[in-house]
Amino acid sequence: TGGVITIDPGFKNTGSCTSKITFLDGEKGILRHRGYAIEELTKKASFLEVAFLIIFGELPTKSEFKKFEDDIKSHSLINEEMKNIIDGFPKVAHPMGMLSSLTSALTAFNSNTVDINSKEEMYQAIVKILAKFPVLASWAHRRNDGLPLNYADNSLDYISNLMQLLFRIPTEEYKINPIAVKALDELLILHEDHEQNCSTSTVRIVGSSEAGLFASISAGVSALWGRLHGGANQAVLEMLEQIRKDGGDVEKFINKAKDKNDPFRLMGFGHRVYKNFDPRARIIKNAADELFQDLNLNDPILEIAKHLEEVALKDPYFAERKLYPNVDFYSGIIYRALGVPVEMFTVMFAIGRLPGWIAQWKEMRENKEPIGRPRQLYIGETLRPFKSFEER
Ligand code: SDX
């Protein structure tokens, strides 16, 4: 309409929507879902219960939760033709690339266009993607490890099923470890939604063109893959391993991170919104300590992470820029303790973030948000006449 256009790279000072799902206070380090504090949700609710809250707006009654869980289980089978797709990937394919492709491929087998006027059609799309996403995620890992592809075990809860999908070896007795399940459930609750982060904004903008839910989630997986976003949890472990190989010299890496001529950044540090501690990092750090005690583990990587955090937080460079550990700094240490391979860490983040992507997509469509189409400030060539080959 010819109004003033402000250029805001990275949308650092732009609000893209109104939302009732998640509240963040970056200064105070507050995170709430539908008004409930993250500290309470991780301690008192399960991952799937929080998913219900985030998606539908209220904590479920017992019967609502049972129906939700049963409906998800009723969709946990994957069309066998999907194996043709996974077999087509080179053995070196990254699981995030496989997950994004497999999620998009689901549109071939399940009505992907969601008529938002049909509550039932919306609900069916939601329970289908919640059911199939963890199975496809586990296939990405097992196929690259040459393991047989597992199917969902509907006798188990959502997180126990995820564990057996990832780790069960068909020829052996698989025992669910309740300590590991509790740690993973709590960890994934901390990933469920985070207002308008990069991948969620991607899911919203793709959905704003009326692309379906599965196609929008597939785009979200790709956005999450980047190491400045969800890919950071894998990058943190690779950084900590590097520090360990270097004899634990955290100061060397902190100096590299401060050196503007060095592209290296301290992975797992800093956040666009949190200019104080990321409340999730605090919870995960404690959960890591508890898990290591419960499983009687001793991993030098955890000590290196704590030492790195301690030295960095004392350094003016980080303090001046309000750079604190974020959700990705300690999460990989727990995944590693649970036996998740490092290239699957970001896939675990995607499994955790799926309910938030669904909820934000649903809210955007129900609010009938317009198609996302920002403007720009043109700084290229002014008008000029065409030149033939001879004149160039
Ligand atoms: C997630 O948005 C979300 O909510 C994301 C997330 C979610 O739940 O969805 O919380 C998940 O993505 C967490 C972030 C994971 N990424 C990393 O850990 C990668 C390392 N961190 C950064 O690259 C960075 O801190 C970001 C990407 C997280 C935030 O970047 P911003 O807000 O664009 O900040 P910036 O790049 O403008 O940095 C501001 C200053 C710069 O220095 P100056 O130019 O002012 O001198 O801080 C410096 C940066 O160089 N800086 C870092 C740093 N992060 C920022 N310097 C060294 N190491 C770092 N990690």
Side-chain angles (χ1 to χ4, degrees):
T1 56
V4 174
I5 292 174
T6 49
I7 305 300
D8 182 17
F11 311 124
K12 292 192 176 189
N13 303 294
T14 294
S16 61
C17 63
T18 59
S19 179
K20 296 177 181 172
I21 301 169
T22 291
F23 171 73
L24 296 189
D25 180 318
E27 292 306 322
K28 299 192 187 104
I30 292 173
L31 167 56
R32 295 185 200 132
H33 295 312
R34 305 282 188 180
Y36 295 97
I38 192 66
E39 291 79 8
E40 273 209 284
L41 292 173
T42 45
K43 285 290 170 236
K44 299 176 182 172
S46 70
F47 174 82
L48 206 58
E49 214 178 330
V50 176
F52 186 101
L53 168 70
I54 284 175
I55 294 167
F56 301 110
E58 295 298 336
L59 287 167
T61 62
K62 265 203 182 341
S63 61
E64 286 169 334
F65 184 71
K66 175 89 174 64
K67 179 181 184 314
F68 186 52
E69 199 176 31
D70 290 347
D71 289 341
I72 288 168
K73 289 181 177 183
S74 71
H75 289 291
S76 57
L77 257 188
I78 303 285
N79 186 303
E80 284 291 301
E81 285 181 277
M82 289 288 275
K83 289 186 175 175
N84 302 333
I85 298 169
I86 200 156
D87 287 342
F89 287 105
K91 273 262 185 290
V92 290
H94 192 287
M96 283 295 276
M98 294 165 85
L99 181 58
S100 171
S101 308
L102 289 167
T103 303
S104 191
L106 276 180
T107 57
F109 303 101
N110 301 277
S111 65
N112 172 54
T113 50
V114 177
D115 169 9
I116 53 149
N117 299 314
S118 156
K119 277 205 178 313
E120 186 50 26
E121 191 176 317
M122 174 78 78
Y123 180 78
Q124 287 305 318
I126 288 169
V127 292
K128 276 181 187 171
I129 191 76
L130 279 167
K132 299 178 190 300
F133 199 73
V135 184
L136 297 176
S138 74
W139 283 11
H141 153 57
R142 299 181 67 88
R143 193 242 175 215
N144 278 2
D145 275 25
L147 293 168
L149 303 181
N150 279 345
Y151 291 88
D153 177 342
N154 283 343
S155 70
L156 299 173
D157 65 81
Y158 197 82
I159 298 299
S160 300
N161 176 48
L162 173 60
M163 298 282 283
Q164 74 85 19
L165 281 167
L166 289 168
F167 301 122
R168 186 171 58 82
I169 306 295
T171 53
E172 294 161 16
E173 150 93 9
Y174 181 74
K175 287 169 76 58
I176 298 280
N177 178 335
I179 294 171
V181 170
K182 177 179 170 294
L184 185 55
D185 193 292
E186 186 174 327
L187 183 54
L188 293 185
I189 288 174
L190 292 166
H191 287 77
E192 292 205 44
D193 190 56
H194 214 239
E195 61 135 274
Q196 303 313 314
N197 60 86
C198 177
S199 56
T200 298
S201 297
T202 301
V203 170
R204 275 181 171 258
I205 204 161
V206 170
S208 73
S209 74
E210 294 196 7
L213 177 60
F214 300 172
S216 304
I217 299 290
S218 169
V221 173
S222 297
L224 186 73
W225 192 358
R227 69 191 209 109
L228 294 187
H229 191 14
N233 60 16
Q234 174 175 345
V236 166
L237 244 293
E238 289 161 352
M239 173 185 73
L240 294 173
E241 279 289 6
Q242 192 56 49
I243 293 172
R244 189 163 67 103
K245 282 197 192 95
D246 265 20
D249 181 357
V250 297
E251 285 78 4
K252 173 183 161 189
F253 283 80
I254 285 176
N255 291 330
K256 269 172 72 68
K258 289 158 59 177
D259 177 356
K260 292 299 168 192
N261 299 319
D262 188 329
F264 173 79
R265 285 193 159 193
L266 215 47
M267 303 317 280
F269 257 74
H271 198 275
R272 175 62 58 76
V273 176
Y274 291 124
K275 298 307 171 192
N276 194 319
F277 243 86
D278 180 334
R280 302 168 297 174
R282 205 193 296 272
I283 297 170
I284 295 174
K285 183 177 175 182
N286 294 336
D289 277 335
E290 274 171 41
L291 182 67
F292 276 50
Q293 273 160 26
D294 295 345
L295 296 182
N296 197 20
L297 288 177
N298 175 19
D299 184 348
I301 286 286
L302 179 59
E303 296 320 309
I304 291 174
K306 287 181 178 175
H307 182 38
L308 177 62
E309 174 192 349
E310 187 192 334
V311 175
L313 292 184
K314 285 184 195 138
D315 188 306
Y317 172 95
F318 293 89
E320 282 155 16
R321 293 167 178 79
K322 299 185 176 181
L323 302 176
Y324 294 91
N326 58 49
V327 67
D328 291 310
F329 189 64
Y330 284 103
S331 57
I333 290 167
I334 292 185
Y335 292 137
R336 179 180 147 106
L338 298 177
V340 178
V342 67
E343 65 277 358
M344 280 290 287
F345 285 7
T346 313
V347 169
M348 300 305 285
F349 193 147
I351 293 167
R353 184 50 51 89
L354 180 61
W357 287 336
I358 293 168
Q360 299 273 352
W361 185 93
K362 179 173 178 285
E363 181 178 71
M364 176 275 303
R365 291 297 305 275
E366 288 172 347
N367 289 351
K368 297 185 169 42
E369 305 269 354
I371 185 169
R373 200 271 185 228
R375 295 303 309 278
Q376 61 167 26
L377 179 62
Y378 178 73
I379 55 170
E381 297 286 345
T382 52
L383 179 66
R384 50 182 174 160
F386 182 80
K387 287 183 188 157
S388 65
F389 271 114
E390 293 67 34
E391 292 170 303
R392 289 173 208 166

